[in-house]
Amino acid sequence: MDYYTLAIDMVKKAQRAGASQSEVCLQFGTYFSLNVHKGQVEVLTNARPRILTLRVFCGNRMSFGTLSNFTPVIVNNFVEDIVTSARLTESDPFNGLPEPDLSSVQVQDLKLYDPSGEHISIDEKIDWLKEMEAAAYAVDEKITQVHSCYQEALNTTLVVNSETVFREFSGSVYKVSCKTIASSDGRRQTGNYSVMKRYLKELPCPTEIATKAAQQGLRQLKARKVATQKVPVIFEGKVAGKFWLWISRLLNGDFIQNKKSFLQGKLGTEIAKKNVTVIDDGTILGGIGSSPFDGEGVSTQKTVLIKQGILNSYLHNTYTARVTGAKTTGNALRMANGAVKVGYSNFYLQPGEDKPEDLIKSVKNGFYVTNMLIEGGDAASGNYSTGARGLWIENGELTYPVEEVTIAGNLSELLKQIEMIGNDLSLEWALASPTFKVAALTVSGK
Amino acid sequence: MSKSAPQDVENKFNPEQSNPSLSCLYRGNTRNGLSEREIEILLSVALEQGGNFAEIYWECSKGCSLELSKGVLEANHSYLEGVGIRVICEEKTGYSYSNDLSFSKLKEASRTAARIARGAQKVNIIRFIPTEAPSYSPIIHLPSKNSLQSKVNLMKRAESAAYRYDSRIKNIQVYYDEQEKEIQVANSEGLLITDHQTLCMLYMRPIVQENGRAGQGWAGDGGRIGMELFQQRTPEELAAEASEYALVRMQSIEAPAGMLPVVLAAGCGGILFHEAIGHSLEADRIRSGSSMYTGCLSQKVASELCTLVDDATIPNLRGTINIDDEGTPGQRKVLIEKGVLKKYMYDKFNAMRMGTSSTGNGRRQSYRYVPNPRMTNMFLDAGEDDTEDIIKSVPKGIYVKHIGAGSMNPTSGRFTFTVTDGYLIESGKITYPIKGATLIGNAAEILHQVTRVGADLKFDQNTGNCGKDGQEVPASTGSPTVKIAQMTIGGTVV
């Protein structure tokens, strides 16, 4: 099937049906996943998914839809239905396609695509997971269960619109996860470790992944409860990225223009300590969150959101930028139902100068977070709470593992209480962070 | 029929030339699912390399979502159709799916799923006996037969009612969602069955602001029901509920931290039992040994006040299913009866491995997913206690009216839930609304800590989904007023 012709024709059909502007986003590719348990394949999934979303504007009225059946009769009916639906919606002066992006016609190659997974046989992948499973059991006899999973997705994304934009890029994702259960004296704990890379050869060896997963669970077997108290908290860099999900929401154009973020109306003001600089960059070569263009076909960029504590910019798509009188930052996120929202690309706290060990040494009595388990945050008030696991810090040293506790507080206060930032930023995930220390947070235990 | 179709029969039939698979859900020709002949061929191809079981699942859905925000209406539509093909060979599952419904692509998908077997023993395909699905949810006004305008009107009524309710309401977002789906399930055991499924919901989020303080509210309703729902639960009624909620939230004070007794209001506790207990009673977790209830049938696992039920047959609830996504009819199961564990929830695969039969809990988000055991309408059954009395019995504690996001670690049993609408109980009376509280507990202990159960069983708002293993399915939960002796409250006031 020629998807390119399909997309271009659909835009033409929509225009003929009465749309003033229209846009098709089409994604197609291959998906493969493999689960191994007790040396055997459990589930093997292999498919060629494709999904098409059509967005149509009749003046300032908009409607959109998703379609998975591309037979001509259905395509025609679908286009007509979406255009009809657009006419029934309300006019919104901020609706419309992005202004044509004249500065870059060439789509930048960000080194996001590696099809080598297709040339590795299924048997080799099965063997790889079996090796990982065996390595996990070999770490300690207390490891009683291991689940291993491999996923591979190769996708091409195409954005075509009536302003003669035609952009495509291909990306690959290879993900390996190892989940272990450690049991001892009637106690059971999980340990998880997963890795996601653009290039197959960048995946670490199976033993490394298995060992990290197993050690997590083993350590938690000795975990103790702690009393509820207010103490300094250090977030380990590798997991701290999840924390920045909340911050990305506070800066999200959708939340801002809906007045659902307390950072609304605060551009140019000091919202954090001077050591805090937060960046979103869609142009990082090989980055997990990178793409040459966003969900609307606008080129991505590097945006400094918080600059030395001052709120410098929000994340925007064309619509949210227009509502707030700003410019799009190339952060349009296409949802599965075709909606265009705002998302982050590679979002991170800029590293500081301190060595992570020095952060730990600076704490007499506090908590070192190695896992966060839940996101319960309200961008309007800034209140958040999360389950967490980690190690207790006593006299500048990491000591015993701590059982699941809750950390609750307010993000507005927290941003102003980041005392130290480590130099250990690693962009392994789309949300990334160096290790950082917060002066005082309430840790709820027993 | 026992073997793959011989070549000459295939050539004469030539399925590539059949009509495109249009469903009556869309404008055009009406044909529900694949033809019997197509299914026969696909099943044969699926079992070409061996295997115990093969299944062809066809799905077609039409959905519409509307959002009204600041007077601006957004509409989106989904027209989705696809086929999922599954082969089971002992412990292994091969799966492939396609939304390219040309017969050659479907055969290719079948061949891909078949590779899991690789020369194992082959089962005979049993001839179809078409069966009819039960019908648990009567619908009077099908959403798809009502105009887009009528739904927009409902939303506009909610919007104006909220602004009229209180001048401090600054912003409200109103959502309407509907989906009509048709599924067809056929398998090598002779099953051939179809079902028509309807879902709709209306919900809203107002925000109040005054003197730098803000509060967010929520209210909604829905289910496997038609537009008649909104004559019983009018947009005005929902808007008033949501606005009152927002106003109360604006007054909230910091929550205490520490261990306290908790009273869960009728209708809100269900989600806690669904997450903390329900998932541990699903057969995949039982079979793998990762559930705390593995091997515990007939043991006392809860206080005698606890009877926990999963019932797929309750008319019009969001979790009600006529058949599950493997074609098994929906059923009512008493999982825990007066504290004793009686039953697990099974899908086909796990039932096969455990020597029993499916309980109609095999569900999937769409044709792209392998089914797994999932709940339908999960609830703690009504007791006999008096609600007022239960609250009066608490000298200092927390009263929870609404629980938001939550999750549980199934291995350690530790769970955490955000309280989105909570209050202090002081000397047996509900006093101040609190913010920023979380409920922390352990699944193994919680049911033993249930000390009072009211007679007022109520279900949730029928707008939620259950997420597990990366898939979401519609579900609903219920409970009466329940008192938990003590739980850890994660607040900020130490």
Side-chain angles (χ1 to χ4, degrees):
Chain A
M1 155 133 294
D2 182 357
Y3 293 125
Y4 303 94
T5 312
L6 173 72
I8 294 171
D9 278 352
M10 209 181 245
V11 168
K12 287 192 188 141
K13 281 192 172 97
Q15 300 294 110
R16 277 200 300 268
S20 51
Q21 287 187 323
S22 48
E23 170 202 69
V24 166
C25 178
L26 175 52
Q27 219 185 41
F28 56 93
T30 58
Y31 175 73
F32 173 80
S33 82
L34 185 59
N35 288 68
V36 162
H37 182 54
K38 292 201 191 131
Q40 281 248 34
V41 172
E42 263 191 333
V43 186
L44 187 156
T45 302
N46 206 341
R48 291 182 176 280
R50 68 217 186 142
I51 198 78
L52 181 150
T53 63
L54 169 69
R55 197 162 62 139
V56 148
F57 299 92
C58 290
N60 284 331
R61 299 163 198 271
M62 180 198 61
S63 186
F64 58 94
T66 48
L67 180 72
S68 63
N69 187 327
F70 300 162
T71 47
V73 182
I74 296 187
V75 167
N76 290 342
N77 290 344
F78 172 71
V79 173
E80 271 177 44
D81 285 352
I82 303 296
V83 175
T84 308
S85 173
R87 293 208 181 93
L88 290 173
T89 60
E90 298 287 318
S91 184
D92 181 341
F94 304 113
N95 268 338
L97 287 179
E99 275 80 35
D101 192 359
L102 300 165
S103 52
S104 49
V105 177
Q106 286 285 77
V107 171
Q108 216 191 335
D109 177 10
L110 295 177
K111 308 271 182 256
L112 303 172
Y113 186 65
D114 166 34
S116 58
E118 286 188 319
H119 308 300
I120 313 281
S121 70
I122 292 182
D123 280 324
E124 275 183 77
K125 291 165 186 168
I126 294 174
D127 284 340
W128 206 92
L129 286 186
K130 283 186 190 170
E131 201 186 313
M132 188 164 83
E133 188 181 56
Y137 280 117
V139 171
D140 193 299
E141 61 186 9
K142 295 199 267 296
I143 299 292
T144 50
Q145 260 199 62
V146 181
H147 289 268
S148 318
C149 177
Y150 170 89
Q151 288 172 287
E152 179 186 294
L154 302 171
N155 278 316
T156 300
T157 304
L158 180 63
V159 173
V160 179
N161 74 25
S162 53
E163 305 290 306
T164 68
V165 164
F166 180 102
R167 295 188 132 168
E168 72 161 299
F169 86 98
S170 296
S172 55
V173 174
Y174 297 93
K175 186 175 180 191
V176 179
S177 326
C178 185
K179 184 174 135 178
T180 62
I181 295 184
S183 318
S184 167
D185 299 323
R187 291 194 70 175
R188 294 196 318 171
Q189 291 286 357
T190 43
N192 290 333
Y193 193 76
S194 53
V195 180
M196 196 154 95
K197 297 283 178 199
R198 290 280 191 188
Y199 283 74
L200 183 59
K201 61 178 191 271
E202 286 177 349
L203 288 173
C205 71
T207 311
E208 188 183 316
I209 300 175
T211 310
K212 289 192 171 151
Q215 281 171 348
Q216 249 199 37
L218 287 168
R219 190 178 67 198
Q220 278 304 113
L221 281 176
K222 304 189 212 105
R224 300 185 211 174
K225 291 192 194 227
V226 290
T228 300
Q229 53 195 289
K230 206 161 180 180
V231 290
V233 176
I234 295 181
F235 291 85
E236 183 180 47
K238 288 199 168 58
V239 298
K242 264 197 209 169
F243 176 87
W244 293 94
L245 175 66
W246 282 319
I247 306 297
S248 78
R249 285 203 190 135
L250 296 179
L251 296 163
N252 184 308
D254 275 322
F255 283 72
I256 295 291
Q257 59 101 357
N258 273 318
K259 298 199 169 58
K260 279 169 126 174
S261 162
F262 73 84
L263 287 183
Q264 186 245 331
K266 295 216 170 115
L267 280 175
T269 65
E270 193 174 341
I271 58 159
K273 284 180 100 116
K274 283 199 170 53
N275 55 357
V276 174
T277 293
V278 174
I279 293 171
D280 182 83
D281 189 354
T283 66
I284 297 177
L285 290 181
I288 286 287
S290 298
S291 61
F293 54 85
D294 70 4
E296 294 178 295
V298 170
S299 299
T300 55
Q301 61 183 50
K302 176 174 175 175
T303 311
V304 181
L305 299 155
I306 302 175
K307 195 170 186 173
Q308 288 161 343
I310 310 280
L311 181 56
N312 191 48
S313 172
Y314 301 119
L315 295 167
H316 281 303
N317 62 21
T318 300
Y319 179 83
T320 62
R322 285 188 186 137
V323 170
T324 55
K327 280 191 73 181
T328 171
T329 55
N331 283 94
L333 175 67
R334 203 109 198 173
M335 310 297 285
N337 66 0
V340 174
K341 299 279 173 196
V342 175
Y344 54 84
S345 54
N346 297 297
F347 188 93
Y348 60 94
L349 171 68
Q350 203 169 67
E353 312 260 297
D354 294 306
K355 293 197 214 117
E357 310 88 79
D358 290 338
L359 268 72
I360 299 169
K361 280 194 192 126
S362 76
V363 173
K364 224 170 156 226
N365 180 45
F367 186 42
Y368 182 81
V369 177
T370 59
N371 282 86
M372 278 180 291
L373 302 168
I374 180 189
E375 33 148 308
D378 172 21
S381 60
N383 291 333
Y384 71 89
S385 87
T386 177
R389 271 185 181 181
L391 299 161
W392 204 254
I393 307 174
E394 265 173 4
N395 297 320
E397 281 186 14
L398 293 176
T399 61
Y400 53 88
V402 171
E403 234 184 37
E404 282 142 55
V405 293
T406 301
I407 303 177
N410 187 287
L411 292 167
S412 165
E413 286 159 22
L414 191 145
L415 281 171
K416 295 182 180 136
Q417 296 210 307
I418 297 180
E419 256 182 22
M420 294 173 80
I421 300 178
N423 58 10
D424 59 335
L425 175 68
S426 155
L427 294 169
E428 281 190 49
W429 299 96
L431 291 163
S433 177
T435 300
F436 67 91
K437 172 187 170 191
V438 182
L441 291 176
T442 306
V443 175
S444 302
K446 41 177 193 229
Chain B
M1 179 177 149
S2 58
K3 301 274 291 168
S4 341
Q7 275 307 106
D8 55 337
V9 174
E10 267 208 50
N11 287 337
K12 278 177 197 157
F13 174 53
N14 206 353
E16 272 88 344
Q17 308 233 307
S18 55
N19 285 329
S21 314
L22 290 164
S23 156
C24 58
L25 290 181
Y26 311 160
R27 292 185 291 133
N29 287 343
T30 62
R31 192 185 86 161
N32 300 353
L34 308 172
S35 70
E36 280 191 31
R37 191 80 190 99
E38 285 173 319
I39 295 174
E40 273 170 14
I41 295 172
L42 291 174
L43 282 174
S44 300
V45 170
L47 290 171
E48 243 164 24
Q49 306 232 28
N52 318 88
F53 175 88
E55 174 197 72
I56 314 291
Y57 171 87
W58 171 91
E59 171 190 280
C60 180
S61 71
K62 184 169 186 218
C64 173
S65 294
L66 304 173
E67 179 180 330
L68 182 64
S69 177
K70 295 181 287 192
V72 173
L73 177 74
E74 254 186 38
N76 85 78
H77 307 265
S78 62
Y79 293 54
L80 303 174
E81 188 174 355
V83 169
I85 300 179
R86 179 164 64 141
V87 174
I88 297 178
C89 183
E90 284 141 29
E91 292 271 342
K92 306 179 288 202
T93 303
Y95 198 76
S96 186
Y97 58 86
S98 175
N99 51 28
D100 182 335
L101 294 151
S102 57
F103 200 63
S104 58
K105 281 287 186 300
L106 292 181
K107 272 197 293 188
E108 192 184 298
S110 227
R111 256 175 230 125
T112 306
R115 278 150 78 189
I116 196 79
R118 296 210 267 188
Q121 240 198 340
K122 191 182 314 208
V123 80
N124 288 339
I125 300 177
I126 298 172
R127 205 181 174 76
F128 299 131
I129 304 169
T131 34
E132 228 183 82
S135 178
Y136 297 128
S137 298
I139 307 219
I140 306 173
H141 300 295
L142 260 186
S144 58
K145 300 266 190 283
N146 280 258
S147 70
L148 192 65
Q149 196 58 54
S150 66
K151 291 144 196 176
V152 174
N153 290 344
L154 286 176
M155 297 167 77
K156 288 192 165 162
R157 279 167 58 188
E159 190 187 48
S160 14
Y163 287 130
R164 275 198 314 268
Y165 191 85
D166 196 294
S167 57
R168 292 169 290 176
I169 307 273
K170 297 294 179 221
N171 190 356
I172 180 168
Q173 282 157 315
V174 185
Y175 302 86
Y176 171 82
D177 213 277
E178 78 182 31
Q179 189 198 63
E180 276 185 45
K181 199 187 221 189
E182 289 191 342
I183 67 171
Q184 177 195 54
V185 190
N187 66 32
S188 52
E189 292 171 345
L191 176 75
L192 177 59
I193 195 165
T194 61
D195 188 29
H196 183 109
Q197 306 171 343
T198 304
L199 275 175
C200 76
M201 61 173 152
L202 177 69
Y203 63 102
M204 54 211 72
R205 291 197 190 112
I207 295 187
V208 296
Q209 277 168 356
E210 185 183 44
N211 299 332
R213 303 196 70 171
Q216 182 166 271
W218 192 96
D221 212 328
R224 300 223 178 250
I225 194 163
M227 308 307 288
E228 62 273 15
L229 172 66
F230 306 113
Q231 285 156 7
Q232 303 151 27
R233 288 275 276 156
T234 62
E236 288 78 12
E237 191 183 308
L238 290 170
E241 211 176 282
S243 303
E244 193 53 43
Y245 187 147
L247 288 167
V248 167
R249 287 287 100 216
M250 195 167 59
Q251 320 289 351
S252 54
I253 61 174
E254 299 287 340
M259 297 203 84
L260 288 169
V262 174
V263 175
L264 303 169
C268 101
I271 183 175
L272 196 142
F273 301 121
H274 169 114
E275 292 292 342
I277 313 296
H279 283 297
S280 300
L281 294 172
E282 290 164 344
D284 52 350
R285 303 247 163 107
I286 297 290
R287 195 172 66 89
S288 72
S290 62
S291 163
M292 60 186 173
Y293 294 123
T294 303
C296 291
L297 281 175
S298 306
Q299 287 179 26
K300 186 163 186 293
V301 297
S303 100
E304 306 80 54
L305 296 169
C306 295
T307 293
L308 196 69
V309 180
D310 182 82
D311 189 351
T313 68
I314 304 176
N316 305 116
L317 290 185
R318 186 168 166 87
T320 299
I321 48 176
N322 298 328
I323 52 173
D324 70 9
D325 300 314
E326 300 178 310
T328 310
Q331 300 161 31
R332 177 187 159 96
K333 297 125 266 170
V334 179
L335 305 167
I336 296 175
E337 188 162 31
K338 297 204 171 77
V340 178
L341 181 55
K342 291 284 191 191
K343 207 172 175 72
Y344 302 127
M345 289 172 281
Y346 295 91
D347 63 324
K348 267 188 135 61
F349 176 76
N350 288 286
M352 269 184 225
R353 310 305 315 160
M354 294 164 84
T356 178
S357 24
S358 167
T359 51
N361 286 89
R363 306 183 65 192
R364 62 183 110 194
Q365 177 175 321
S366 76
Y367 63 88
R368 292 172 175 232
Y369 299 89
V370 177
N372 57 9
R374 305 300 284 274
M375 289 169 270
T376 59
N377 301 306
M378 146 77 59
F379 61 95
L380 188 73
D381 211 353
E384 293 170 351
D385 222 323
D386 178 69
T387 305
E388 288 301 318
D389 254 12
I390 295 175
I391 298 169
K392 277 196 194 128
S393 77
V394 178
K396 181 170 180 206
I398 305 287
Y399 180 70
V400 179
K401 270 178 89 172
H402 205 89
I403 292 177
S407 71
M408 184 192 73
N409 180 327
T411 308
S412 64
R414 192 91 175 172
F415 62 76
T416 321
F417 285 94
T418 320
V419 175
T420 44
D421 194 16
Y423 304 78
L424 276 181
I425 303 177
E426 294 171 303
S427 309
K429 288 200 170 71
I430 298 171
T431 58
Y432 299 102
I434 50 177
K435 62 181 172 184
T438 38
L439 296 176
I440 307 155
N442 192 294
E445 292 158 17
I446 184 120
L447 287 184
H448 291 287
Q449 300 256 323
V450 170
T451 52
R452 314 274 301 253
V453 176
D456 52 348
L457 172 62
K458 200 174 147 198
F459 283 89
D460 67 22
Q461 292 87 355
N462 287 291
T463 54
N465 287 339
C466 160
K468 172 179 163 181
D469 296 343
Q471 310 189 36
E472 285 199 359
V473 293
S476 114
T477 63
S479 73
T481 302
V482 172
K483 178 180 173 186
I484 314 271
Q486 63 175 4
M487 292 180 80
T488 306
I489 311 295
T492 46
V493 179
V494 177

